[in-house]
Amino acid sequence: MLYLRSWLSDFIDLNEYSNEELKNIITIKSGEVEEVLELTDYYAGKVKIGRIKNLRQHPNADRLKIFDLDLGDNQEQIQIVSAAPNSENGLLVVVATVGTELAMGSIQEREMRGYKSQGMCLGMSELLLETEDSSGLWEIEQLVLDKDINPEQVLGQSICSILPEYFPEDTIFDIKYLADKISSCGNHLGLALEIATCLERPELLTTFAQKLLDPTHLAETILNYAELGNKELKVNFSDRNSYSNSFFLFDLQFDKHYLLPHQLQARMFLTKNNLVGGIADLSNYLLHDIGQPSHFFSKAQVLKLNQNQNSLNWEISKITESPHFEGLGKLKNIAIPEGVSVLKQQEEVIAIPGISGSNHTKTTEKDMQILVEIANFPNENIARSSFKLNYRSEAARIWAGKVQITLQFVVLVRLIDILYKSQLKFSISSVLNYLDPELCKAYKINKEDNFLQIATKILETHSKASIKVDMDYISSRLDSQKSEYWKEIVIQKLKIIGKYSGVRLYPNIFYQPAYTQEDVLEQVSRLIGYDSLASQKLTTHNLTNSDKSFESLSELKNVFLDYGFLECISRPFVAEADLKLLNPPNPSTKFVQNNLYTNLLQNASKNILFGEKDIRLFEYTKLYNINANNLEEKRIISSVLVNDDPYILTSLIKEIANKLGITDYSPSSLGKDQQYLGSGYSYTLGTTDINLIKISNKQKRVYNIPLTKNVYCLELDITNWSGYINNYPKYYNESNYSILSRQYSHIINNETQLQDVLDLIQNSKINDVDIRVYPLERIAEDKKYILNYKVDFVSYIKNLEGSKIDEWEAELLCNSNNILKLR
C-alpha cells in the first residue's frame, strides 16, 4: 500500500519527523515499511523542455500539425504530431518522451495519419496542474525568464528540475499491512491516526481529522448539508439474505459536470492509482483517503433500466443461475457463479455488492446526477463472493478486515467537504436508509427514523461503548512481571488508545476497535514496544497443548523472517531410485539437488521481472530418499537472496548458531553435490549442516536472472536438528482469512483406492468451514502408493478451533473403512 506524505498532512502534522524516523516508528509498532521513495522528479526525468521548430501542416489532417522539437545540443530532435491550437515555431513547451508514465497512460511512439509522433507535447492539465482540460500547450518561456535562466540552457532538461514549485518534492511510504489491519490502516486518515497513536501524540492530528472523530461534528455537518429525504425519487429495497449490515443511498446533483480537483488527481497518480475521469475518480479517492468503500451509479442509466420512471426497485439476493455480467475492473465479461449475492434493478444485475459495479450503470464525465451508495457489509460475505469469483477488488480487500460501520458517516462528511471546496453548486439528499433488523434492535432505530436520526443513534452508541480492563490479565500476558510493575505503564497507554476511567476503556470509535481483552492487549503491547517486554516462553495460540517441536521449527523460521525473508510454499522432493515421484515439478530433472532451488529461483526471477529491489525468499522442504530399501526423510530449509551484501547471510548463520548454542564454527569447502550451483562454503553447526552458495552465471541463465544480479543461496539440513522438528507443521497461517492447515501421508494399495481416497476427502464436510485439498505428491513403492497432501480448513468466522479438525479426522478415518492408514 502506497501512502503520500503530503496527503497525510491533511490529517496529521509530521513536520517534526524525518522520513527515517517515521519509517522506524511505523515498522516497530504498526506495519512493515518496505520502501521509502523520495520523489524529486514525478516523471523520472522523461518529461522534458523543448523548442518547436520546422512547424508544418499535416498533409492528411486539417487539425494536425507536424513539428520538430529541439531538445538541446546533447539530444537528437524528435518529431511530434499535435492538434494543439497554439502550436507555433519558436514556442518553448513541455514534452513527454517515449516511455513516460502519465496519469492518462504510457506514452509510446505512434503513427498519426501516416506520420510518426515520437512523444506528446503537453498542456497543464495533462501534468495535473489544471482540473479542466487545457486549451493548448503549456507555454513556459516567461516562467523560465522570470528565474533569470537562459531558455536555451534548459532545452532537454526535466521540467521538474527547472520548475520545482509546480512539482514539489514529496515522499511515498510503501507499507505492507495484513488483512486484519487493511480496513483501519489501508488509507491515509487511518494511517495518520495510527501514527499519532504509535508516537503517543494525538495532538498532532489536524483540526479537520479531530472533527472527523467527533460524532457531534459529523451529525452537524450532515444536518447542514444533506437533505434528509428526496420525495421525488422512490426506492423500494430488500435484502433477502441479510447480505448487508446497512445500505444508504444518496441523490447527488451538480450544476455542471464534475472533475476531481487536479491537486487530488496528482495524489492519486503519485500513489499509482488509476484515474478514469469524472465523478468515478472521487469514489476511488475516498477509498484511499478514508477507507470506506462507496459506489457511484449514473442516475440516468439506472432510471433507463426502469423505463425512466422516477422509482427504483432494488434487491440483494443470491444468484441461482449464471447470468452474463459486464462489470468493472477485471470482471468485464463473466458468468456470475451460482450462490454469489448481487444487487438487481428489476432482473438486471447492476452490481456485485462490495466488489464491482456494472458497466451498464457506470458514471461518465458528462453525468451531473449521481446515485451514491455508502454501505457496510460483513467481511465474511464479501470474502465468500470474492472466493467464488476468484477476484478481489480494492474495495473487497478493505472489507476483508471488517470496516467499522461508523465510517459511513465519516466518508459522507469527507465527500461533502471535497464537494464544498470544489466551488461547484451541488445538492445531496438521502433516498434510502436500510439497516439489518438485528442492528435496528441494537441501535434502537425505528422504521420511520430519517438518516440523521439513524446516524446519531449509531454514533452515540459507539461513542459510549466500553470494555472493562482486566489489569491482572493484561499484565500476566505481557510477561512474568506482576501487575504492580505494569499498572501505571498500562494506564498511560490506555489513555492513548481512548478514554480510560480507571476501570473502563472507551476506545477511539473509528480506528482502534477494542472489543475484547485480547484487542486491548494487542494495542497496549505495541505501544509499550515488544523489545521492552521480558523474555518468556511463547506458546502457540491454536494448540491446546504446547508442542515443542512445532515451536522450535517456528523459532527457526522466525530467524529468517526477522532478516526480511518471505516464506514460499513448501514442497517435498523424492530422489530418483526404485521409489520415484509420479508428478515431478520438472520432468527433465534427474537429481534431487537440481530440484531444491527450482521454486525459489523461479520466484526470484519473477520478482526481479516485477521490479523488486531486495528479494529474500525461503522455504521448508521435505526430501525423500532410499537407503537399504527404506524410505528416509530429510528436512531442508532453502533460501535465496538477491542482494549485493552476502554478509546478510553470514549474519543469519551466526544467529542460527546462537539459537543452537554453538560458538565455535568455521567454513569448509562446499560439497561436490552443490558445486554445480556455484561457489561457496559449508558450515557444520552441531548436527546441522549449512551451505552458503553464490549462484553461477550458468545457473542464472537457466532461470532467466540478469547476470548483473548477485544471487546467494543458503541451505540448512535440519533433519537431525536438536529442536525436534515435527513431521509436519500442524498449524500455520498462509491466508488473509482464518486458516488452519495440516499435512497427511496415506498408504494406498492401488490406483482405484487412490481415487476413492481423494473423493472421500474432497467430499467431506465441516460446518462453516471450507475444505481445500492440495495433493503434494504420489510416491510409488513396489505396488503401493504413498499419498502426501495438504488440507486447508478455511473459516470466515474470527477463530477456527483445532478441535473441529480433530473431529473431522476421526470421522474421516471411521468412514474410510480402513482404506486409509495415517502415518
Side-chain angles (χ1 to χ4, degrees):
M1 182 81 189
L2 302 182
Y3 302 85
L4 193 65
R5 179 162 180 151
S6 61
W7 195 338
L8 287 170
S9 67
D10 280 5
F11 306 113
I12 187 170
D13 181 359
L14 297 173
N15 290 329
E16 297 178 37
Y17 297 92
S18 67
N19 292 334
E20 187 67 22
E21 289 171 326
L22 291 175
K23 173 187 173 181
N24 291 337
I25 193 68
I26 294 171
T27 300
I28 291 170
K29 294 190 175 184
S30 183
E32 181 185 352
V33 179
E34 296 188 307
E35 185 179 20
V36 178
L37 178 62
E38 295 184 355
L39 291 173
T40 55
D41 193 313
Y42 293 5
Y43 306 102
K46 294 180 179 180
V47 175
K48 302 179 180 182
I49 298 173
R51 191 178 293 283
I52 294 177
K53 292 188 175 182
N54 192 22
L55 180 75
R56 62 264 190 201
Q57 179 66 46
H58 194 298
N60 302 322
D62 293 339
R63 294 183 63 250
L64 297 180
K65 299 286 193 302
I66 305 172
F67 52 80
D68 299 326
L69 207 64
D70 182 3
L71 296 177
D73 295 337
N74 297 326
Q75 301 182 50
E76 293 184 7
Q77 291 187 359
I78 60 175
Q79 178 175 284
I80 301 293
V81 181
S82 174
N86 62 332
S87 300
E88 59 181 58
N89 276 317
L91 204 65
L92 196 67
V93 295
V94 180
V95 62
T97 55
V98 172
T100 304
E101 294 294 334
L102 297 176
M104 66 177 66
S106 179
I107 301 300
Q108 302 298 329
E109 182 177 303
R110 60 177 179 158
E111 191 171 287
M112 300 176 69
R113 297 287 186 93
Y115 287 80
K116 286 184 179 179
S117 186
Q118 298 170 298
M120 180 178 178
C121 287
L122 306 173
M124 294 185 73
S125 63
E126 284 122 1
L127 292 166
L128 305 181
L129 301 174
E130 287 181 341
T131 301
E132 297 285 347
D133 289 343
S134 299
S135 58
L137 304 180
W138 186 19
E139 302 178 24
I140 62 169
E141 181 135 11
Q142 189 58 51
L143 295 174
V144 174
L145 291 171
D146 289 345
K147 289 177 168 287
D148 294 327
I149 300 175
N150 182 351
E152 301 308 311
Q153 294 178 348
V154 302
L155 295 179
Q157 295 193 40
S158 166
I159 187 66
C160 296
S161 63
I162 301 301
L163 298 177
E165 62 271 27
Y166 287 87
F167 309 95
E169 292 186 8
D170 215 325
T171 306
I172 289 178
F173 293 92
D174 186 356
I175 308 175
K176 181 169 68 176
Y177 280 114
L178 299 179
D180 60 346
K181 295 197 74 172
I182 282 288
S183 61
S184 59
C185 297
N187 59 87
H188 285 77
L189 173 60
L191 181 62
L193 296 172
E194 180 81 352
I195 292 172
T197 302
C198 293
L199 292 172
E200 301 186 29
R201 296 189 63 188
E203 72 276 6
L204 292 178
L205 294 174
T206 63
T207 302
F208 179 64
Q210 292 180 27
K211 286 182 177 179
L212 291 179
L213 299 178
D214 181 358
T216 303
H217 172 77
L218 295 176
E220 288 176 353
T221 303
I222 293 169
L223 180 62
N224 290 335
Y225 290 96
E227 298 176 23
L228 301 178
N230 184 340
K231 297 179 181 179
E232 296 179 359
L233 182 64
K234 303 293 183 183
V235 182
N236 298 313
F237 179 83
S238 63
D239 187 347
R240 296 187 178 277
N241 306 104
S242 296
Y243 186 84
S244 53
N245 289 326
S246 60
F247 196 98
F248 300 124
L249 193 67
F250 303 90
D251 189 353
L252 176 60
Q253 300 192 30
F254 301 100
D255 64 335
K256 60 179 182 178
H257 72 283
Y258 178 86
L259 292 173
L260 189 69
H262 66 89
Q263 301 92 334
L264 307 190
Q265 291 184 41
R267 290 178 174 182
M268 294 286 282
F269 167 69
L270 293 175
T271 51
K272 301 189 185 312
N273 290 298
N274 290 333
L275 291 164
V276 297
I279 192 73
D281 287 336
L282 179 54
S283 175
N284 294 330
Y285 180 85
L286 289 170
L287 179 65
H288 296 92
D289 185 62
I290 298 294
Q292 163 69 48
S294 59
H295 187 71
F296 291 11
F297 297 89
S298 167
K299 184 178 178 181
Q301 293 301 318
V302 172
L303 290 176
K304 188 176 180 180
L305 295 175
N306 203 35
Q307 289 79 45
N308 287 313
Q309 297 178 20
N310 213 27
S311 64
L312 303 177
N313 294 296
W314 282 13
E315 171 186 289
I316 296 180
S317 59
K318 286 186 179 179
I319 289 292
T320 55
E321 47 191 24
S322 297
H324 177 75
F325 179 67
E326 293 185 19
L328 305 175
K330 294 182 179 179
L331 299 180
K332 290 182 179 178
N333 189 5
I334 66 164
I336 302 176
E338 185 177 334
V340 172
S341 292
V342 300
L343 175 64
K344 294 193 292 187
Q345 158 71 23
Q346 305 290 17
E347 291 303 314
E348 179 81 20
V349 176
I350 61 174
I352 302 177
I355 296 176
S356 174
S358 165
N359 189 51
H360 295 307
T361 58
K362 71 176 183 180
T363 60
T364 68
E365 292 188 16
K366 296 180 180 179
D367 279 309
M368 292 187 291
Q369 294 185 322
I370 312 294
L371 293 177
V372 181
E373 167 245 303
I374 303 176
N376 184 275
F377 303 105
N379 57 342
E380 61 267 22
N381 289 348
I382 302 296
R384 290 184 191 278
S385 292
S386 294
F387 176 74
K388 290 179 183 293
L389 290 164
N390 193 29
Y391 170 66
R392 298 180 71 201
S393 61
E394 282 291 314
R397 288 179 64 248
I398 299 295
W399 287 121
K402 191 174 183 181
V403 177
Q404 294 295 304
I405 196 169
T406 47
L407 270 186
Q408 294 171 107
F409 314 114
V410 180
V411 79
L412 177 62
V413 170
R414 180 57 159 165
L415 169 63
I416 292 170
D417 171 69
I418 292 174
L419 294 179
Y420 181 78
K421 291 176 180 176
S422 69
Q423 298 181 344
L424 282 178
K425 292 182 180 179
F426 72 94
S427 65
I428 184 167
S429 55
S430 169
V431 293
L432 170 65
N433 305 318
Y434 168 83
L435 254 75
D436 179 79
E438 292 299 319
L439 287 181
C440 287
K441 284 184 184 178
Y443 295 118
K444 298 179 181 178
I445 291 171
N446 303 316
K447 188 175 181 180
E448 60 275 7
D449 284 348
N450 62 37
F451 177 72
L452 177 62
Q453 291 167 326
I454 293 172
T456 301
K457 288 180 179 181
I458 292 176
L459 291 168
E460 285 182 352
T461 301
H462 279 263
S463 64
K464 294 176 181 177
S466 66
I467 179 172
K468 185 177 180 180
V469 178
D470 186 336
M471 196 64 68
D472 290 334
Y473 172 79
I474 299 295
S475 301
S476 66
R477 288 294 306 278
L478 288 172
D479 58 25
S480 57
Q481 301 177 87
K482 302 297 181 182
S483 177
E484 292 78 15
Y485 173 84
W486 282 116
K487 184 175 181 180
E488 291 303 319
I489 299 174
V490 171
I491 289 174
Q492 178 190 1
K493 306 309 177 186
L494 291 174
K495 290 180 179 179
I496 302 297
I497 299 170
K499 296 178 181 178
Y500 182 61
S501 67
V503 178
R504 304 194 71 86
L505 172 67
Y506 298 83
N508 180 309
I509 64 174
F510 297 115
Y511 288 96
Q512 299 290 355
Y515 303 112
T516 67
Q517 296 295 328
E518 289 292 329
D519 296 329
V520 177
L521 174 65
E522 178 185 350
Q523 300 294 338
V524 168
S525 298
R526 69 192 184 99
L527 289 177
I528 290 174
Y530 297 100
D531 292 343
S532 302
L533 304 180
S535 300
Q536 59 181 353
K537 184 174 178 60
L538 299 178
T539 58
T540 309
H541 180 69
N542 288 330
L543 294 176
T544 305
N545 300 314
S546 177
D547 186 330
K548 293 180 181 179
S549 58
F550 173 69
E551 287 183 3
S552 60
L553 176 59
S554 296
E555 184 178 4
L556 187 55
K557 286 185 177 182
N558 284 338
V559 176
F560 282 87
L561 295 173
D562 289 343
Y563 276 77
F565 285 78
L566 300 176
E567 186 173 9
C568 295
I569 61 171
S570 298
R571 301 188 299 178
F573 297 98
V574 181
E576 189 175 75
D578 293 334
L579 188 68
K580 66 180 181 178
L581 187 63
L582 297 186
N583 297 307
N586 184 350
S588 64
T589 300
K590 294 183 178 180
F591 301 101
V592 171
Q593 288 85 354
N594 291 33
N595 275 334
L596 288 179
Y597 288 107
T598 297
N599 184 49
L600 289 174
L601 289 172
Q602 286 176 345
N603 275 287
S605 177
K606 290 178 183 178
N607 287 348
I608 292 171
L609 181 65
F610 292 147
E612 294 287 340
K613 294 182 174 60
D614 186 1
I615 299 164
R616 308 181 190 195
L617 306 170
F618 80 99
E619 70 176 1
Y620 170 55
T621 305
K622 287 193 291 186
L623 168 65
Y624 296 95
N625 215 328
I626 289 290
N627 186 7
N629 294 323
N630 292 320
L631 181 67
E632 284 189 345
E633 185 178 35
K634 285 189 175 183
R635 298 179 182 89
I636 307 292
I637 290 183
S638 309
S639 65
V640 165
L641 171 73
V642 181
N643 196 291
D644 291 333
D645 185 6
Y647 297 105
I648 294 172
L649 292 179
T650 53
S651 298
L652 194 149
I653 292 171
K654 181 179 179 182
E655 181 65 20
I656 294 171
N658 291 338
K659 292 287 183 185
L660 295 172
I662 294 173
T663 56
D664 185 17
Y665 63 91
S666 58
S668 58
S669 299
L670 197 65
K672 289 185 178 180
D673 58 345
Q674 294 293 349
Q675 289 178 2
Y676 77 97
L677 280 172
S679 59
Y681 302 94
S682 181
Y683 299 81
T684 299
L685 305 181
T687 58
T688 303
D689 294 325
I690 301 180
N691 295 317
L692 174 58
I693 307 162
K694 183 176 182 180
I695 296 296
S696 67
N697 285 342
K698 179 180 179 181
Q699 290 298 318
K700 290 178 191 175
R701 291 189 184 97
V702 172
Y703 295 99
N704 295 319
I705 295 174
L707 300 184
T708 55
K709 298 288 185 181
N710 286 323
V711 183
Y712 299 90
C713 292
L714 191 69
E715 179 186 275
L716 288 72
D717 183 345
I718 56 174
T719 305
N720 300 314
W721 191 47
S722 57
Y724 303 102
I725 298 297
N726 198 9
N727 285 337
Y728 54 85
K730 195 169 186 181
Y731 301 107
Y732 58 90
N733 278 330
E734 58 175 24
S735 171
N736 288 333
Y737 307 113
S738 178
I739 286 186
L740 298 183
S741 295
R742 294 189 184 183
Q743 293 182 13
Y744 303 95
S745 295
H746 298 314
I747 298 176
I748 314 294
N749 292 321
N750 52 56
E751 286 276 2
T752 303
Q753 288 185 350
L754 179 66
Q755 190 57 51
D756 291 343
V757 168
L758 291 174
D759 291 342
L760 179 67
I761 299 164
Q762 192 68 61
N763 295 326
S764 60
K765 294 181 179 179
I766 304 177
N767 290 337
D768 299 320
V769 177
D770 286 344
I771 298 175
R772 305 174 188 170
V773 182
Y774 302 92
L776 298 176
E777 82 224 305
R778 292 181 294 162
I779 305 171
E781 183 178 14
D782 295 325
K783 294 183 179 180
K784 295 184 178 181
Y785 297 87
I786 299 175
L787 172 66
N788 289 314
Y789 63 94
K790 182 182 73 167
V791 180
D792 284 353
F793 304 89
V794 185
S795 174
Y796 297 108
I797 58 179
K798 186 173 182 181
N799 291 312
L800 178 60
E801 299 296 333
S803 59
K804 279 195 173 185
I805 314 304
D806 296 332
E807 294 168 4
W808 175 85
E809 287 179 352
E811 184 177 355
L812 180 68
L813 290 174
C814 179
N815 294 338
S816 65
N817 296 321
N818 297 319
I819 292 177
L820 307 180
K821 292 182 180 179
L822 277 172
R823 187 175 63 167

